[in-house]
Amino acid sequence: MYFGGSFSRGDFLFLLSGAVTTLSITLVAVVIGTVLGVLFGLIRAGAPWWIGNTLGAVLDVFRSVPLLIQLVLFNSFNSMLKLNWPTFTVGCICLGIYASAFCTEIVRSGVGAVPQTTRRAARSLGLTWRQELTSITLPIATRIVFPSWIGLTLGVMKDTALVLWIGIVELLRSSQIVTSRVQEPLLILGITGLIYFVMSFPIARLGNQLEKKWGTQ
């Protein structure tokens, strides 16, 4: 089956396999980034200033250094230290740490946006610090930071294109391979862009729907 020119059904399926890899890396990286981001964000928001500032300085390094450089360095260290981690694992961990650096500030700002009067009122009712955090602060902060977290997730999905530099065949790399064979770059890039849109649009729409639902409560 041919879609146009020499672009065949097999080429389209190859692009879809790359899209599956992109989604897999995105999912793992976002989970890692969110878990670490929540942990680090709570530390930044509530720990003594010298702990929060030290952690912030370390995370600033990951936010400031281009992701491509981090991927190449991480993969090089993986080889030099003979860890023998698969490139998929390297890409997921590196992207996850990179995402956590941004998620940390999202969580910190969300917790900081919860009115102190609300938190003090909860404590005055006899709630412990943990109860106040889990029942009052985090639910309110989640609604505040959710749009930013959706934006971070979509950003991570697009950043997965950089893992091709460490040998992972994700969607963009798949499109390059197909383009080199069929010599129809505009067609292939158009299809690749459409696949990215199909993957991203439901996430953005889900975020909008949840934001509207929470806004009416």
Side-chain angles (χ1 to χ4, degrees), residues 126-150:
L127 272 66
T128 64
W129 176 84
R130 175 180 292 183
Q131 290 173 330
E132 176 260 317
L133 180 67
T134 57
S135 301
I136 305 297
T137 302
L138 286 183
I140 296 175
T142 298
R143 297 188 180 195
I144 295 172
V145 306
F146 188 73
S148 298
W149 182 83
I150 289 292

Side-chain angles (χ1 to χ4, degrees), residues 17 20 43 77 87 105 117 129 139 145 160 166 178 198 206-207 217:
S17 69
V20 171
I43 293 175
F77 289 145
T87 52
E105 293 307 305
T117 53
W129 176 84
V145 306
T160 58
I166 60 174
V178 174
V198 169
L206 174 62
Q217 293 180 353

Side-chain angles (χ1 to χ4, degrees), residues 152-197:
L152 176 64
T153 299
L154 294 175
V156 170
M157 180 180 293
K158 288 179 284 189
D159 286 339
T160 58
L162 294 176
V163 301
L164 66 86
W165 292 98
I166 60 174
I168 299 177
V169 182
E170 41 64 68
L171 179 54
L172 184 60
R173 180 55 181 154
S174 298
S175 70
Q176 291 177 342
I177 293 173
V178 174
T179 299
S180 67
R181 191 188 72 79
V182 302
Q183 297 298 311
E184 294 183 19
L186 293 180
L187 173 64
I188 305 304
L189 288 176
I191 294 174
T192 301
L194 181 60
I195 294 174
Y196 271 116
F197 174 78

Side-chain angles (χ1 to χ4, degrees), residues 45-68:
W49 67 268
W50 57 274
I51 295 178
N53 288 350
T54 301
L55 178 59
V58 173
L59 294 176
D60 279 341
V61 175
F62 292 97
R63 280 195 298 270
S64 303
V65 177
L67 178 57
L68 178 57

